[in-house]
Amino acid sequence: MNQDFGKLNPDVAGVPAVWQPLVADCNIEFELAQVTRTQTTRTSFGGDDSVESAATGGADPIDTSRYLNMWVCKLSDGLLGYAQFPGGPPETDGVVITYTGFGNTGTATAPFHLYRTATHEIGHYFDLFHIWGDDGAGCSGSDQVDDTPNQGAPTQECRYSPRSAVTTEPNGDMFVNYMDYTDDAGMIMFTVGQLARMEACLAGPRASLVTAATRSKNAGQIVSWAPGRLDAFVLGTNMSLFHKWFDGSWAPSLTDYEAMGGICTSQPEVVSWAPGRLDVFLTGTDPALYHKWFDGSWNPSLTDFEYMGGVCRSAPRAVSWGPGRLDVFVVGTDGGLYHKGFDGSWSPSLTDWEYMGGNIIGTPKIVSWASGRLDIFAVGLDSALYHKWFDGSWGPSLTDYEGMGGIIQREPKVVSWAPGRLDVFVTGTDSALYHKWFDGSWNPL
């Protein structure tokens, strides 16, 4: 799903040339929150939402205001899946997929074995209609999207050349669209117009998902730049930044906060490289990187931010390995890692970025165990862990990564307690904790 909604699917290269300018990177990313398994006496389920209730042999949903719920089961009558459009009852909100059309391994069965049933149904969940407008075999229906051609009927199986039942559409049907009925191997694109409709959904009836995802990444950040000093930063319900500090007592008070402005789409990333110095990074609604810093007073002001460019898919990560030194990393909309560094001035510039390769899910973790040393850990599209490091130059190279294996459910956690020592912790698909460490070599191998 991250590949399909991020235009990172390798088969997107198969979009016919006439449609290529319309292919959209939806900048929507999914992260597995929880897996539950429910034993049932039911031999199959229909399209009546019974799988979505424990009372009828299924499983109750988990807080549909915060999570996209997906039920995988045996569906009857050849049904591949179905989804609830925005605005329906919360107790049945989510996506249902038959077990033979889910994922791309195990019980997934051709021609619905490339996880596109989930992509299609989640499109409905984000308010997309079928591309042919659900008017039977006529040409009068509409999917309410301007850049998808008027289509007379669903596409069955896979097509490799244009066809159209509507003579007014010179380029034929968009048979490669995720919202058609094409086999999985033929579904490879959303359009810019479909993206606009999904964005409106995520800004409107499903806005609580975005808010919950932003807040769930962490509960803000707390940093200390001297003994007896704490600075805490959180996002408010208006998604602005708020701050309080402790230097013997809490200010502005134990329960009050200092308002620092902004409309933030990531949790703040805060680092200190010297006593009395704080640097705060976060992403805005554009979604570029923004920065403010404290060196006795807030700059550019208490409520203003410095614009640092970029189109960021992830929250920023910042680290300092010495006084006056900052390194900031974000994941771009292409899934690649981008970097800029500060050692008196920003390089490559205040608004430009150095490209570091990769196809990354989520937000990477960065740690420094010595001056001039950085280690970066990220999860790839295959859910495995990848690593790169800096010790004067980037290894294995500026744009390559060292594969470290695993099938990881959430972002890694990394800590260093001495020069040359790293400890990495991840959660596996069985929800158990896994660990590896470096003390000159990686253990276990």
Side-chain angles (χ1 to χ4, degrees):
M1 296 189 304
N2 285 320
Q3 288 184 343
D4 288 352
F5 282 84
K7 203 177 78 171
L8 297 171
N9 51 306
D11 51 7
V12 73
V15 173
V18 68
W19 305 126
Q20 286 179 3
L22 298 178
V23 180
D25 171 5
C26 300
N27 197 25
I28 297 172
E29 190 169 280
F30 303 88
E31 183 174 306
L32 185 62
Q34 183 177 344
V35 178
T36 64
R37 293 175 174 84
T38 302
Q39 188 173 13
T40 180
T41 58
R42 294 281 297 267
T43 58
S44 66
F45 294 88
D48 59 357
D49 297 324
S50 57
V51 72
E52 300 170 11
S53 171
T56 50
D60 295 332
I62 299 170
D63 193 352
T64 55
S65 69
R66 298 180 61 207
Y67 299 104
L68 160 59
N69 282 255
M70 301 178 71
W71 289 264
V72 182
C73 63
K74 182 179 180 180
L75 289 174
S76 58
D77 301 322
L79 186 61
L80 281 175
Y82 62 92
Q84 181 168 293
F85 282 88
E91 60 270 16
T92 57
D93 197 15
V95 169
V96 180
I97 301 173
T98 194
Y99 75 106
T100 58
F102 185 78
N104 61 354
T105 60
T107 59
T109 305
F112 307 112
H113 62 305
L114 299 176
Y115 55 79
R116 263 57 192 268
T117 301
T119 301
H120 177 100
E121 298 302 341
I122 292 169
H124 289 319
Y125 177 84
F126 288 146
D127 209 25
L128 295 186
F129 300 136
H130 288 132
I131 195 171
W132 68 93
D134 290 311
D135 63 347
C139 295
S140 59
S142 173
D143 64 353
Q144 306 299 317
V145 176
D146 291 339
D147 63 1
T148 56
N150 190 12
Q151 185 166 316
T155 302
Q156 304 292 343
E157 300 179 340
C158 284
R159 295 195 61 83
Y160 300 96
S161 59
R163 63 111 183 170
S164 179
V166 182
T167 57
T168 57
E169 297 294 344
N171 297 316
D173 294 343
M174 190 179 283
F175 54 86
V176 290
N177 196 279
Y178 290 125
M179 301 313 296
D180 207 336
Y181 269 178
T182 312
D183 292 349
D184 280 15
M187 288 185 175
I188 51 179
M189 70 171 289
F190 288 115
T191 70
V192 173
Q194 288 174 319
L195 167 58
R197 190 171 176 86
M198 287 190 280
E199 287 179 332
C201 175
L202 286 165
R206 297 211 183 278
S208 63
L209 295 175
V210 179
T211 301
T214 301
R215 290 180 182 162
S216 69
K217 291 298 182 182
N218 55 60
Q221 190 166 2
I222 301 171
V223 66
S224 174
W225 47 258
R229 174 74 190 204
L230 291 171
D231 287 82
F233 299 84
V234 298
L235 296 186
T237 55
N238 62 355
M239 304 309 287
S240 289
L241 185 65
F242 290 83
H243 169 230
K244 65 169 55 193
W245 62 96
F246 179 86
D247 56 4
S249 60
W250 285 103
S253 78
L254 178 62
T255 56
D256 293 322
Y257 289 81
E258 174 183 58
M260 302 191 76
I263 302 176
C264 311
T265 56
S266 73
Q267 288 285 349
E269 177 77 348
V270 187
V271 65
S272 175
W273 48 259
R277 174 76 189 205
L278 291 171
D279 287 83
V280 182
F281 301 90
L282 44 77
T283 57
T285 54
D286 35 5
L289 185 70
Y290 289 83
H291 171 226
K292 65 170 62 197
W293 65 97
F294 179 83
D295 56 5
S297 60
W298 285 104
N299 299 278
S301 78
L302 177 62
T303 56
D304 293 321
F305 291 81
E306 176 182 55
Y307 174 77
M308 300 191 73
V311 183
C312 308
R313 170 171 285 169
S314 75
R317 288 291 178 259
V319 66
S320 175
W321 47 258
R325 176 71 196 199
L326 288 168
D327 288 88
V328 183
F329 301 85
V330 298
V331 176
T333 54
D334 59 355
L337 186 67
Y338 289 82
H339 167 237
K340 62 175 67 197
F342 178 84
D343 56 4
S345 61
W346 287 103
S347 299
S349 79
L350 177 62
T351 57
D352 293 320
W353 297 83
E354 175 183 52
Y355 174 69
M356 301 189 71
N359 282 306
I360 297 171
I361 296 175
T363 304
K365 301 299 181 186
I366 299 99
V367 66
S368 174
W369 48 256
S371 177
R373 174 75 190 205
L374 293 172
D375 286 84
I376 301 174
F377 298 86
V379 177
L381 289 175
D382 58 357
S383 295
L385 186 67
Y386 290 85
H387 172 228
K388 69 176 5 165
W389 63 93
F390 180 83
D391 55 4
S393 60
W394 286 103
S397 78
L398 178 62
T399 56
D400 292 321
Y401 292 77
E402 173 183 56
M404 302 190 74
I407 303 176
I408 297 167
Q409 190 177 126
R410 297 183 179 91
E411 294 170 359
K413 301 295 184 184
V414 188
V415 67
S416 173
W417 48 260
R421 175 73 190 205
L422 290 168
D423 287 85
V424 183
F425 299 86
V426 300
T427 304
T429 54
D430 58 356
S431 296
L433 187 66
Y434 291 83
H435 172 227
K436 64 172 59 193
W437 65 96
F438 179 85
D439 55 5
S441 60
W442 284 103
N443 301 278
L445 294 177

